[in-house]
Amino acid sequence: MYSLLMKKPLVANSIIALAFAVALNLLIPTSAQAGIVLKVAYSSDDSYFNYDDTIDSDEEWGLWTPTCEVATACAKKNRALTDTAAKARAIKMCKTLDGYGARIKVVTGSGATAGLGNLNTVSIVGFKKRIMTLNTPDWDSDEEYPYEDEMDDPAYIEDGYEYVYWEGTCRFSGNISLISSSFYTVYVDGGKGPEYSKAELTKLKWSIFLIDN
């Protein structure tokens, strides 16, 4: 008899919990239940880097190697530097740019906030290794280069020196969870970006690429 009496409150509690879950489900927008996620990728003109760029102004090394005479052990060491090592440097540099961690705000057609997030993922697009040849070695002295014509330089060798550098573009991305709306406007760090209809984003498979130039 005791065990039967104990079962009745459990059944009642289950019914109450089920009713509460149904009611809560009705309050959650269908889009949130479905899990609409917008993938945003972003680059700007400042996201491009090449041999002129360093990790930061306090570093004397960047995405290039020292200049060496062609076919020497020094030059061979430069050429042996892997893309993996260079890319690690490039990602560090990308994280110093304004696009990294950019705040994304998406609003609905009525101006309500549809989703918020940040671009915290970094990737490198068009990452390429380049070899630049020179006729003279680097001039490391603080004094002005003494030759008007590089051919007067005793160290002059036509295409006799080289250095390796890498170029590419930093791309920042992140996923933004959205509520349902017929139209959306995307803002990057407070700056107004493009507008999309829900149908457009569906065709784009909820993935957009923004470029600021």
Side-chain angles (χ1 to χ4, degrees), residues 2-3 6 13-15 25 31 37 60 67 80 82 84 91 131 137 147 150-151 153 156 166 174 178 183 188 198 203:
Y2 180 78
S3 60
M6 287 297 292
N13 288 342
S14 297
I15 294 173
N25 197 50
S31 59
V37 176
E60 295 181 353
T67 300
T82 65
T84 300
I91 288 176
I131 297 176
Y147 307 102
E150 64 176 7
M151 293 184 69
D153 190 332
Y156 176 89
W166 286 260
L178 301 179
F183 294 93
V188 181
K198 187 174 183 179
K203 288 182 180 179

Side-chain angles (χ1 to χ4, degrees), residues 64-68 134 136-141 161 163:
W64 68 86
T65 66
T67 300
C68 301
L134 303 170
T136 59
D138 291 335
W139 181 254
D140 295 327
S141 174
Y161 305 88
Y163 65 89

Side-chain angles (χ1 to χ4, degrees), residues 82-136:
T82 65
D83 288 350
T84 300
K87 185 173 284 188
R89 290 185 179 184
I91 288 176
K92 286 182 181 179
M93 186 189 68
C94 290
K95 289 183 177 181
T96 69
L97 301 179
D98 290 339
Y100 177 63
R103 182 68 165 169
I104 300 296
K105 181 178 181 180
V106 184
V107 302
T108 66
S110 64
T113 299
L116 297 169
N118 295 86
L119 304 182
N120 291 327
T121 300
V122 180
S123 59
I124 309 292
V125 181
F127 194 65
K128 296 178 182 177
K129 185 177 187 177
R130 304 290 193 186
I131 297 176
M132 177 70 76
T133 58
L134 303 170
N135 298 324
T136 59

